[in-house]
Amino acid sequence: FQLLQNSLEQLELKVVTEQPVPPEQEQQLKQILRDCMRVDFEIAISYQQEILRAANGKYEDLLSLL
């Protein structure tokens, strides 16, 4: 997975899975993230075939695009 902060109110959770997560589990996952971060972010989940590494070859699990 990779979590992107696109704005002060919005996160995008990029996930790589063989099959999409059922909607009820997506909602549970979003609530877990909100609870852990203690902020009521709007969270979008996007499904990816792969998550690219940074130019230095490292995997970044949290990126802020602010």
Side-chain angles (χ1 to χ4, degrees):
F1 76 92
Q2 185 175 61
L3 195 58
L4 302 173
Q5 184 174 11
N6 299 313
S7 72
L8 294 176
E9 303 87 22
Q10 186 179 38
L11 298 175
E12 177 184 0
L13 177 63
K14 292 184 174 187
V15 294
V16 177
T17 62
E18 291 182 15
Q19 298 178 6
V21 177
E24 57 276 355
Q25 287 183 336
E26 278 190 1
Q27 292 305 316
Q28 290 174 344
L29 182 55
K30 289 176 182 182
Q31 191 57 52
I32 290 168
L33 284 171
R34 286 185 191 106
D35 291 346
C36 288
M37 298 198 163
R38 298 182 181 164
V39 177
D40 190 24
F41 284 109
E42 178 183 326
I43 301 172
I45 298 176
S46 65
Y47 294 92
Q48 310 291 314
Q49 290 188 357
E50 69 176 319
I51 296 175
L52 301 177
R53 295 182 182 272
N56 62 7
K58 292 184 178 180
Y59 173 73
E60 306 235 12
D61 55 354
L62 178 61
L63 293 173
S64 176
L65 303 179
L66 301 179

